[in-house]
Structure formats: structure tokens, C-alpha cells
Amino acid sequence: MSGGGTAFPKSLLFADVAGYGSRVQIPWRAAPRAALSSPLTLLVSVVTALLLSFVVAAAVLHSAASGSAAIDYQQDRLCTEALHPSLEATGVSHQQAADAPRVIKELAPDREALVGTYVRERRADFGGAPTDAKFGYRPGATDHLEVLEGGGKDGLWVPKSIADTVGVRLGGRGLGGRLPPVTAIYADLLDPLPAWWCSERHFVVPNVLDRDELATAVVWLPSAEAFAALPPELAGTADVTVRFPADVPRTVDEAATLLREGTERIAPLGGGAVRTVSPLVLPVENARQTVTNVRSAVLGLTLISLLIGLAGVATVTVQWAQRRQAELRLLWVRGAGPLALGGRGVLELGLPLVLGGVLGLGTARLLLPVYAPSELLPPGTVTTAALAVVVVVALSLVVTVATGALRTHRMFQVSGGGNRLRKVLTALPWELATAALAVWAWNRVQHSGLATTTKIGGLPRIDAAALAFPLLVVLTAALLTARLAKWALASSHRVKVWSKPVAQLAIRRLAAGAGPVTGVLLIGVLAVGTMAVGTAIAGSQKTALDVKSGMYAGANSYAQIPSEVTELPQALRGNSTIVGFVKQYDRTALVVDPRTFRDGAFPVEVDPALLTQPLRVGNAPRREVELPGLPRLEPDAWVPSFPKLGTSGWVVPVDRIEDRGDVGSWYVWSSRPLAEVTAALSADGVKLSRNSDEKKKAVQGLPFLTIQWTFAFVTALGAVLAVVASIALLLAVEVRRRQNALSGAFSTRMGLGPAAMLRSHLLELGAVAAGAVVVGLAASAASSGFTVPKLDPAPRLTPAPQVPDALPVLVGTVAGSVLVVLVAAWIAVRSVRSAKIGELIRG
């Protein structure tokens, strides 16, 4: 029969194979069961498809989860009580405020509204000296206050600050008995406010350091009727807040729905002096942009991993064709063409590939908390991931058919000339192409890889091509290493070190398996380099956010205090300091206490002795300068950066200040949480303003987190590639079991001991693993070193991101590589020691 690739006759599908009239089972129908005769091939097929499907499904799930993580992060910085769009009416009449609950109920009957009403400060008499006070009512307010005395809910609840000032007592009735009796004294609300109060911060927390702001806490009335019945001298201008309590959204879709429905709900209520508050507008926009950024950034590496996985499927198919060569030849001589023989490969390997796809999808969903920034997924995400896996499995089946067809075409139809295409593809300098792409990506990193935005709270534009630069460097290094290794192994026959048989045998085994060795080396360099790059860049972003936030805020937490406060409360001594802040135009200065500054300020490398003299910071001009409340400054000492000042400003010791009242503002900087700081200051009688905050909320961290989440996924893909490389190494040893056993048995007969045999295999496999580790880490170190300083979402804040300590990655990579090498060497030596040389020779 001609070898021209005739189609498989249809009659053979239904007639007996032998052609003698007796019916036997058709080889095509028996193919799935026949696959069980090669359990190793089936296992490798399942694992290959599992890893391939995991990568694709994980990319879909990770991108979607980043949106949920973005929503969650931004909600931590927002007030959960006000996430639903709300209304604030300021400067309305007392009567309008009193009617607000009824009006809101009529206009929005479908949703329960929480209406807060507050009159502006007026002079009030509680039976003693008159004092400024503001009165308000909000349903449920008394359930969310800390009672110090009393507790009855049928009278006034007076804050401790007013009660101590004028001596308010329980049962007293203000304004000559026209006010309800005082039934409770409660602790003033302090920053950070509980969630129930956070939406009312502007109305319930006084700002005693600003004359234009409210200076007292709220005296709470027992009912809306009591608010409406306030005496005329108290019922002046009022403010109204309308909040709609809602469940906290967890995903982008939930947040968008809440924003849309809430905006429609409050639309009929606005107008006039009413201000619409929709804090979810920017978070939803940012979360959607985060999903887009992460998806585009991981797309390139996902495609590379997809190609590697499909190449693995092709490799498995080639091994299947080698194992089935005799049977395939029989089918070929009976008329089956290459395409039909490739279909036979699908009949045997298709089910394992489908099974691997299902397992990969399940693994991606199960391990979501490990590699993704959030466990919450928008509806339909798993379905999308399943569809992506279906496409991948379909591509795997196509690759199986195509590889089987090409392989049998080479074996049976164009024997001796079928390697031409492979030789051409191998000879092409792919590393030059990837190097050119890396140069192009580096240009994008320098000029447009990460652009900051002018919109407050917005996200920078992230160029996915720029983020690919370090990965392209690693890929180029991997391709170049594989090519050099191939050339070296091709020339290894010239190496003769028989005086050291352990090394000589290791070199010969490497040369005999040059193809698998270069493949393992290629994937190993990619795995190590990708993991190292992902870890370095993700770690640098995490550290940069923490350090930039600390330098910008000055300390872990801060609270503004009056200039008269010169000593810290006992609870804050040893962990806090008092700092003065002066700003005039673009010039800023800090007044510090050298004795306590390092106790509370964000850690910075400054010689304590320098704090006792004026300092010039960063690029501040080297000349005499005069700022309000400070002496003339012309410092000789200089430091590159300083908390709060960044890289420009001046520092003055507090003993150089003549009048503390002339300094713009004073703060307590502390390493303790803000709640502890404000509680300690309030207990010490210090009047606080609303100007307080914490480091974790000082800087918008979502741009940093977007890059961090992207490269965390890169790290996860690197781990998958490491598993692929490990399996490939173990598989290479297993496939060459007979050759290793035969050569090892002869070497043993020639006097090579078991220990020497083990050393030889350790040297062979260790050389491959060591090459992958060294090249991968070197490539990642070089690319990360160039990339990390450029990936700075907030370049105006200091310091720039820096490459983190690589020792943990190095130790983990080396330990994993050693473990794989030991297992592979044990398998190889075990095959030698258990081999029967007579059977090997006969086989």
C-alpha cells in the first residue's frame, strides 16, 4: 500500500480487522481501555491538563476577585453607614428639620430612612452657668452611646464635656424647666468613630480648634416630638442628615447595584440646600478599573503559560506515539491516514485531558483564597472560568490530533526528512525576538508604564506591556540558557574525565537526554525567575505603601491638640511625641522634641544628636529662611528625608521656640492606634479637634495593591511552572528508566559503587536544577532591580520602592530544588539496583 496518506476506510469501522469474516473488537473502540496499559502516560496527561486548566481558570477568577478586594479595601476607608447614597441639608429652619422624617417617609416609603436632625449651637442654661450647646435627635442614638451616669431614655442625654463644664446633674431641667429632665450623662464621641456614628462625624464631633466650626458635642433629645418642641431660643438654624442603612456590598456588582438603586431612591428628595452624598461612585469606578488593570497585566503571562502547557500536551502525545508505534504502524498499513491516527490519540488521551480540565477548574476554585486577594466572586465568574477551561481542553484535543498526525506522518510517510521543520524552529533565534520585546517593554516602563492621575483617589494608568518587562527578561534568559545548554551538550563528547567516573557518567547521561534536559532547564528558569520576580515586585509594593504612608502621616496615628498642651498623658509616654507643624506657601517645618521624637514618629534613620539642632531636609534651599512662629533658620546640618516633610523642609528643636502659640498647629504623634491616643488625651482633659487620622488611611493604597495583586498572581504561576518543571524532571528520569538501569548495571559490574552511583545522578540532576536556580534568580534580580523603582504609583511621596530581601525566596527555591533532585536521584538509583541485567540485555 502506498504511504501517501490514504483516508481510513469507512468499512474498517464496522468490519472485522483481520478481514476473515469473524468479528473481533475494533481497535478504535478499544482505545480508551487500551490507554490503561500506560498508566504513567495517563497520569502525566491528567496532570498536564490540570495545570494548564488551573492557570487559565485562575487567571479569570483572580481578575474578578481583585474587583471584590478593591471594593473591600475602599470600604475600610469609607463609612459603611453611608455607603448607600444619602442626603445632607444644611442651614434649614428648625421647622423644616422637624418635618424631615415625615417628608422622607412619604417620598421614600420603600426603604427605612435614618434621619438625624441637629440645631446649631446656642446659649443654653442647664441650671448653672450658661454654656454653648447643640441639640439633636437621631433614632437609636442613645443605644450607641457609652453611659457614664443614669441611663433613662425619656430625657436629655448630656455629653460629659458639657456636664463637667457647668455641673449638670441628673434630673435637672434646663431653661427654667422648659427642657426635658437630664436622665443620662454619656462619654463624648471620639475619633475613630464606631460604624454607626461615622456618617455623622461632621455633626457630632466638635472641632474646638477652629472658631468657624462647632465647638460642643450634641445634647440628645428623647424623641422627634421633643426636637420639634424645642424652645424658640434654641430652635434656630438646623442641619438634617438622611441615611439609608444597607447591607455592605462585597463585590463590584453589588456595589454598582447599591449605587444605582440608591441614586434613584434619593433623586426625588434632592434640591435646594440638599447635598447628595454618594461615596460609592469612585470606589465602583476604581474597582472596575482594577479588574481591567489586573486582567490585562496577567494576560501575557497566562498566554505564555498556555503555550507551555500545550507544548506539554504535544510532548505527552509524542511519547504516546512512541509507545504505540507498532500498533499505529499496523493501522497505517491497513489504510489509516495521519489524521485518523491522530484521532486514535484523542480516543486514548482525550478522557484524561478532560478529567484534568475538570480537576484544574476545581483546584483553581478551591485554592482561590491562596492566590487571589479575595474569596468573593461576582455572579457568573465560575461559569466564565469553566468556559475558558472548555476552550483550553478543546485546544488540547486539537493539539493532540495535530501532534499525533504529524508524528505518524514523520514515522511512516516521510521517514528521515520529517525533522526539517523542527530543526528550522529550533534554529530560529527566539531569544533575540524576546530580547527585542524586552527592550520595547523597558521603553514603556520608562516613559508610559505607570502614569499617576490628577484625580484625587483615582488610579494610575497601568501599562500591561510595561509590567511584562521583567517577565520578558526572564523568558529571554531561559531561551538563551536552553540554547547554550544544547550547544554544550552537543559538544560534551569531547570532555573526557574518566579519572572521575562519577562526573563522566553524569555528562554522558545529560548528553544522551539533551532534548528533555534543555526542556526541563527552560521551564525551570522560567519557574524560578517568575516566582522571584513576582515575589520581589509584590513585596516592594507592599513595603512601599507602608513606608510612604508612614512618611506622609509622620506616625502610626496623629491627633491635633491645643498649643497649651506640653506634656503627654501617662498612657502615651514612651510611645508618643508632641510635634509642631508650620506651613507657609510651599515651605514647611516641624518643631520636634528631641527627647521623645523617636518614641512616636515613624521610624527613620536619623542620628538622635542631629535633632538637637535645626536641620535642613532634602532639597530645601541652602539659605536663611523665616517661617511664622520660628526663629530665623540657616541650618548647617542636613538629612535626606524626614517624616511628614518628605524631601523638603526644616526641623527645629522645641527649645528654640519662644511662644508655642505662634506655631501653626500641634499634634500628638504616636505608635499606638488612634483610638488609644484619643482616649488617653480625652481622659487627661485635652480638647480634641476632628483633625486626626491613622497611617493606614493616609495614602490611597489601591494603586499599590493593584500591582501587588498582579505580581502575586505571577508568583502563583511561577509556582505552577515549578511543579511542571519538577514533573518534567521526574518524568525524564522515569522515561529513561531502562537506559539508566542498563548503563548503571554495567557500571556497577565494572566496579562503580552504590554511593558513587548516587553521587553521579545527584551531579547530573543537580546541574540541571542549579542552572535553573542560578539563571532564574540572576535574571529576576536584574529585571526587578531595574523595574521596582519605576513602578511607583505615588512618586511625589518618599521613599521610592525598593527590592525586598531575596533571602527567603533563595532559601525556599534551593530547598525545593534539592528535594526534587533527591527524589529524582533516588528513583534513578533504585531502578539501577533493582534491575536484572540479563532481562535488560534480552529486552
Side-chain angles (χ1 to χ4, degrees):
M1 180 178 293
S2 171
T6 57
F8 189 77
K10 184 177 179 181
S11 59
L12 283 179
L13 293 175
F14 303 98
D16 63 282
V17 177
Y20 296 111
S22 60
R23 299 190 59 82
V24 297
Q25 188 172 23
I26 305 303
W28 307 100
R29 296 176 181 176
R33 190 171 60 187
L36 297 177
S37 62
S38 302
L40 180 61
T41 302
L42 294 183
L43 178 61
V44 173
S45 300
V46 171
V47 173
T48 302
L50 186 154
L51 295 175
L52 180 58
S53 301
F54 171 84
V55 166
V56 175
V60 175
L61 299 179
H62 181 273
S63 300
S66 65
S68 301
I71 288 290
D72 185 62
Y73 168 77
Q74 292 175 107
Q75 284 179 174
D76 286 343
R77 302 167 59 84
L78 298 173
C79 173
T80 56
E81 187 71 17
L83 289 178
H84 186 292
S86 57
L87 301 171
E88 293 180 2
T90 58
V92 301
S93 67
H94 172 257
Q95 186 60 46
Q96 288 176 308
D99 292 340
R102 176 184 56 81
V103 174
I104 297 300
K105 183 65 176 176
E106 293 174 354
L107 295 177
D110 64 320
R111 192 67 172 263
E112 180 183 357
L114 190 58
V115 182
T117 53
Y118 313 89
V119 293
R120 299 283 178 85
E121 284 181 334
R122 294 294 183 91
R123 299 292 288 179
D125 178 6
F126 290 93
T131 184
D132 290 334
K134 63 179 296 186
F135 292 80
Y137 173 73
R138 194 177 191 229
T142 54
D143 296 330
H144 298 85
L145 296 171
E146 180 185 354
V147 179
L148 301 179
E149 296 182 44
K153 296 186 177 182
D154 56 348
L156 297 180
W157 282 45
V158 180
K160 185 176 185 297
S161 56
I162 292 181
D164 291 346
T165 301
V166 298
V168 174
R169 295 291 181 266
L170 296 178
R173 298 176 66 94
L175 296 182
R178 288 183 294 163
L179 290 176
V182 176
T183 57
I185 295 175
Y186 73 91
D188 290 57
L189 292 168
L190 302 173
D191 283 321
L193 291 174
W196 197 85
W197 286 110
C198 60
S199 64
E200 310 298 291
R201 184 173 184 265
H202 183 74
F203 303 96
V204 302
V205 176
N207 192 0
V208 298
L209 301 182
D210 190 337
R211 295 180 180 179
D212 296 330
E213 291 282 353
L214 307 176
T216 69
V218 180
V219 176
W220 295 101
L221 293 159
S223 64
E225 293 74 17
F227 180 87
L230 279 173
E233 55 266 44
L234 299 179
T237 304
D239 302 318
V240 179
T241 63
V242 182
R243 317 293 182 192
F244 293 89
D247 294 334
V248 176
R250 307 296 301 279
T251 66
V252 180
D253 292 342
E254 291 179 4
T257 300
L258 179 61
L259 176 61
R260 184 185 66 256
E261 294 178 352
T263 302
E264 294 174 353
R265 183 173 292 111
I266 67 173
L269 309 178
V274 179
R275 183 171 71 96
T276 301
V277 181
S278 301
L280 276 181
V281 174
L282 189 58
V284 169
E285 180 184 333
N286 284 346
R288 286 174 171 165
Q289 184 62 44
T290 297
V291 174
T292 302
N293 286 343
V294 172
R295 181 186 296 124
S296 60
V298 303
L299 180 61
L301 184 59
T302 303
L303 292 177
I304 293 175
S305 302
L306 176 62
L307 293 176
I308 292 175
L310 293 177
V313 172
T315 302
V316 172
T317 306
V318 169
Q319 293 176 349
W320 165 83
Q322 290 175 341
R323 290 176 179 272
R324 291 284 188 268
Q325 183 171 357
E327 185 176 352
L328 293 176
R329 180 179 293 277
L330 175 62
L331 293 173
W332 176 74
V333 299
R334 292 187 176 278
L339 190 60
L341 297 179
R344 171 61 188 256
V346 172
L347 292 177
E348 289 199 28
L349 303 179
L351 185 59
L353 291 176
V354 172
L355 177 61
V358 174
L359 293 177
L361 176 62
T363 304
R365 183 64 185 90
L366 183 65
L367 296 181
L368 186 67
V370 176
Y371 64 84
S374 174
E375 299 180 37
L376 300 172
L377 297 173
T381 302
V382 176
T383 302
T384 304
L387 292 176
V389 169
V390 169
V391 172
V392 167
V393 172
L395 288 176
S396 300
L397 297 177
V398 171
V399 168
T400 300
V401 172
T403 304
L406 290 174
R407 185 68 179 179
T408 53
H409 175 68
R410 286 215 312 258
M411 287 192 301
F412 306 137
Q413 293 183 323
V414 288
S415 179
N419 291 330
R420 186 177 302 132
L421 178 60
R422 181 167 60 88
K423 290 179 179 179
V424 171
L425 293 176
T426 304
L428 288 176
W430 298 106
E431 57 272 20
L432 294 182
T434 57
L437 289 175
V439 172
W440 171 71
W442 172 244
N443 183 65
R444 300 289 287 266
V445 170
Q446 288 185 306
H447 297 97
S448 62
L450 192 66
T452 56
T453 176
T454 57
K455 182 170 61 176
I456 297 176
L459 292 179
R461 176 176 52 80
I462 297 178
D463 188 345
L467 295 186
F469 166 73
L471 304 177
L472 288 170
V473 171
V474 172
L475 179 58
T476 302
L479 292 172
L480 182 60
T481 302
R483 187 174 297 278
L484 294 177
K486 183 179 179 181
W487 289 347
L489 292 176
S491 304
S492 63
H493 63 278
R494 297 188 179 92
V495 178
K496 293 181 174 56
V497 286
W498 287 110
S499 59
K500 298 179 180 178
V502 168
Q504 183 68 41
L505 290 175
I507 293 173
R508 298 315 304 150
R509 283 195 301 271
L510 285 173
V517 166
T518 54
V520 170
L521 190 59
L522 173 65
I523 300 176
V525 172
L526 279 176
V528 174
T530 302
M531 281 195 298
V533 164
T535 303
I537 297 181
S540 70
Q541 293 297 311
K542 181 179 180 180
T543 304
L545 175 58
D546 181 71
V547 176
K548 284 176 181 284
S549 299
M551 292 293 286
Y552 181 74
N556 185 63
S557 61
Y558 63 87
Q560 189 175 2
I561 59 174
S563 59
E564 297 80 16
V565 178
T566 59
E567 294 293 333
L568 291 167
Q570 183 62 40
L572 298 181
R573 294 177 185 175
N575 55 52
S576 305
T577 185
I578 295 178
V579 176
F581 183 73
V582 177
K583 183 174 180 62
Q584 184 183 52
Y585 308 117
D586 60 342
R587 301 182 300 175
T588 56
L590 289 180
V591 180
V592 304
D593 183 353
R595 298 176 298 109
T596 63
F597 181 77
R598 293 168 65 87
D599 294 337
F602 184 77
V604 63
E605 296 182 3
V606 176
D607 186 352
L610 292 177
L611 298 177
T612 60
Q613 57 184 312
L615 294 175
R616 183 173 63 88
V617 178
N619 57 14
R622 187 190 295 272
R623 58 178 172 78
E624 186 178 74
V625 64
E626 187 173 1
L627 294 173
L630 303 182
R632 291 181 180 273
L633 300 174
E634 192 173 3
D636 295 326
W638 173 86
V639 291
S641 62
F642 205 82
K644 191 63 178 178
L645 298 177
T647 57
S648 181
W650 293 267
V651 179
V652 184
V654 69
D655 57 10
R656 303 289 183 96
I657 304 302
E658 296 181 358
D659 187 351
R660 295 173 65 95
D662 293 337
V663 175
S665 53
W666 291 88
Y667 296 85
V668 169
W669 286 6
S670 181
S671 60
R672 308 301 300 165
L674 179 60
E676 295 183 17
V677 175
T678 54
L681 292 172
S682 179
D684 205 47
V686 178
K687 294 183 178 180
L688 299 174
S689 73
R690 289 198 295 267
N691 194 4
S692 60
D693 209 343
E694 294 181 282
K695 179 189 72 173
K696 65 180 181 180
K697 295 183 179 181
V699 175
Q700 166 63 285
L702 193 55
F704 297 88
L705 294 175
T706 300
I707 301 175
Q708 181 182 334
W709 295 337
T710 297
F711 281 93
F713 184 70
V714 169
T715 304
L717 289 187
V720 172
L721 291 175
V723 174
V724 172
S726 302
I727 293 175
L729 183 63
L730 297 176
L731 181 62
V733 173
E734 181 65 24
V735 169
R736 292 167 47 203
R737 172 188 289 269
R738 184 178 181 280
Q739 294 92 324
N740 287 340
L742 185 60
S743 64
F746 277 117
S747 299
T748 302
R749 288 296 183 91
M750 294 170 64
L752 195 67
M757 180 65 67
L758 177 61
R759 291 198 305 271
S760 180
H761 282 283
L762 287 176
L763 181 61
E764 172 198 357
L765 301 172
V768 178
V773 170
V774 171
V775 176
L777 290 178
S780 68
S783 59
S784 299
F786 284 109
T787 307
V788 164
K790 297 292 184 180
L791 295 182
D792 190 353
R796 292 184 294 274
L797 302 181
T798 56
Q802 297 180 351
V803 179
D805 183 12
L807 183 60
V809 178
L810 176 62
V811 172
T813 303
V814 171
S817 301
V818 168
L819 179 61
V820 173
V821 168
L822 288 176
V823 172
W826 175 79
I827 293 174
V829 173
R830 183 174 177 271
S831 67
V832 173
R833 300 188 66 179
S834 61
K836 297 179 180 179
I837 191 167
E839 294 181 1
L840 290 174
I841 294 174
R842 287 194 301 270

